[in-house]
Amino acid sequence: MTGLAALASLPVLPLGWFVGLQAQPAWIPAAYLGYLLVVIAIPGTMFWRRLTGGSGWFLVDAVLGTTFGLACEALIYPLGRWLDLPLIALVMPALALGLFLALPRKSRDDRPTPWWAVAGVMVSAGVVAAWFVRVGSRLIPVDGPSALRPNSDSPFQLSLAAELTHHFPPQVPYVAGEPLTYHWMAYNHIASAHWITGIELDVLTQRVVPFAFLLLTALGAAAVGMVLTGRAVAAPIAAGLTVLAGDLSPWSWTVTHTLYHDSPLSMGQMISPTQAYSTVIMLPLIAVTALLLRRKADQSKRRLAGLFLTATILITVLSISKATALPVYAAGIAAAWLYLTIKDRRLNVRALVLGVLVGTTYTVNFFVVLRAASHGMEVEPGKTFRNMLNTMLTGVDPSVQQGPDLLPIVTAAVLIGWLLPGAGILLIRRRLPRDPMAVMLLAGLIGAVAAASVLHHYSQAQVFFARTAFVYGVLLAAWGLSSLERRQYFAVAPALALGVTAIYVGRSRTDGLIRDCRDTACLDRIFAEPLVYALILTAAGVLVLGLLIRGSRRTWAAIAVAALLGLTVSPTIVSLRKFAFPPQTTYDSIAPGGIEAARFIRRQSGPDDLIATNIHCHAPTGSRCHSGSFWIPGYAERRVLVEGWAYTAQANNVHTSTDAVYGPFWDQAKLRINDAAFTAPTRDGLETLRTQYGVRWLLADERVNEVPEELAKLAELRFQSGTVRVYQLYPPRTPQGPRETP
């Protein structure tokens, strides 16, 4: 009966899936769901259970197997793309069947997952769906006039997805010939899904795949929580914290801030497929690490080999998924190795092998994929918090001086918020002696916070270390809370509510006040007062609850930890009310008619055709050129000779954001030849573009400059829409008349 009850709540997933994507034609969520089940989930689950031996719960293995299937697909797809077999992921079901027949699984009864645990996880999945309908699906418009006004990030992500759809090894699609020194594993999945389902890349990149990753993050955290604790109660707790928790956020103006909100339900996660994907891949890696480092008497050499093979695949994929992900895991595995070596008084080989795998893959990634490019990351302790403070003070009268206490207050609030989930370790009761996983998770969390505090990037990219460690904190908190006795939950529930209430009361003290400040004392007050109110209310509430309940010291600890965790629960709920309409640019960064023009080129050209354009800036006009224009290769799925040049290794190798996005292009000769085609075209100049650089198409935006009539005489006008004209370059005619063969 409990199994039937559990299954009865599972329809929440497909229902939430279709509800979350209700704005899309029904075939789109249906096609992706079918692809995910047949190509990824079922084969991935079979791979996972045969190689690792399973966790003992089928539903846990199904979730972790799905995420493992994504990793396998990410490794297989580049080979298929290189061999011109982009549908190669379709072999995964056959590979899974072969593995099933070659490695028969020992008969082992799976434990049933209690219905209430499944139902609790489904509640979190429902919250994700509701958030996506209300907030996530509105962050990046994909149609209508608003689609012409994105920030620079979403077209950048789309252009990389288009590049991996048609080419491997990848180049920077908006600066043809420049190697792509960026983490690109997430785009393998998007490209593969595009080939198999036929869904447009922009819908996949900005709607379907982010929603799938949000759901898989919540489900994956629930599954890993059960692996770590051995208790079903960890599943709804981990899923709930993943969805509802975030950071401290003591001020009203940080609710919608993207600087340091770490929850998957945040704009930072939505606009970064690489971050969302790395979180999804990190979860099965944590689970397989637990299976490896917790020795079991019945682990055969074959099973051990399967576990290490699984870990190798996940570590390899993670190393090229997000540059900030593997170092966090490395800090954790190093601490686990040290802990086990000291405890056992002998070298722990398993943790050492994992460490060697991490070091090897990261080294290969750094020198082969990233080509040793720093992308502007520097060691500047404390600058992270200074930049956060400056952003928070946007709009304040420049004459108002910052007091000396302001920066320490902001630093303390951010650090406390990042580290609060780690308090869950105080409640953990380990099932196994010398269990290193709590040490591993805590070290990863602390290491990530340290990296985010010491390193600095002009675009605050170092904060992704803390975002990566968010799931580490969630797992620690879930592990601690699930270690309690049943009667202690009657004390934990009001303590959690206390923390939530305290942070809401604190935040209410600042609503609409910061821009009204006219002196230093006012700034000090509105920064300090919310935090002080929240902490005093929390401390007083813990004292009252403890005295009323009169429990043991462990009960007191549970109340205190739960109240602290409650302080982090708010960004999701508040965002449902305040974050539904994110700001967009006031101008069309994508030219009117540009999307149609780019897709015309896609229909009429081959994947190796090259486009030249007069568009280089995010804004069509202005005193300075923000070189973050990337939309043409995203929609045309063709490389551009030179569009924008921001977010490249050469542009990023600077000290300030101004230099990175407003700096000049490094090859001025190429840029002059490119731009001359749109300002003073000549037959020789266009022929140089065609023969020397391989350009076949010209895309001109009349907002940038008036297109000379001479261009229509030298190239064929093929398409016109809005402010955009598309020309095609042909070889010159021979004396007899017909054109030369290209």
Side-chain angles (χ1 to χ4, degrees), residues 586-726:
T586 57
Y587 53 84
D588 292 340
S589 58
I590 296 178
I595 296 176
E596 295 81 1
R599 286 177 170 164
F600 170 82
I601 295 176
R602 183 183 65 180
R603 292 192 300 270
Q604 301 296 321
S605 63
D608 293 327
D609 280 14
L610 192 63
I611 303 170
T613 183
N614 65 340
I615 301 171
H616 306 303
C617 311
H618 194 260
T621 59
S623 57
R624 293 194 303 172
C625 177
H626 183 304
S627 61
S629 181
F630 318 116
W631 60 270
I632 296 175
Y635 290 104
E637 298 178 26
R638 304 293 181 260
R639 291 170 175 166
V640 180
L641 182 64
V642 183
E643 189 181 354
W645 49 86
Y647 298 179
T648 59
Q650 294 206 51
N652 285 343
N653 193 24
V654 292
H655 298 286
T656 68
S657 58
T658 299
D659 294 335
V661 298
Y662 292 103
F665 184 56
W666 52 88
D667 190 341
Q668 287 294 309
K670 179 192 288 188
L671 189 61
R672 281 194 295 271
I673 293 173
N674 177 94
D675 291 350
F678 302 94
T679 57
T682 63
R683 190 175 303 280
D684 289 343
L686 295 181
E687 188 63 9
T688 299
L689 279 179
R690 190 186 70 84
T691 57
Q692 182 175 335
Y693 293 102
V695 173
R696 294 291 179 268
W697 299 85
L698 305 177
L699 189 151
D701 183 0
E702 294 179 330
R703 300 177 307 167
V704 177
N705 62 268
E706 185 177 351
V707 181
E709 294 182 3
E710 186 67 19
L711 185 57
K713 301 175 183 178
L714 300 174
E716 182 179 350
L717 178 63
R718 295 291 308 277
F719 185 86
Q720 186 169 358
S721 177
T723 64
V724 177
R725 295 183 184 183
V726 173

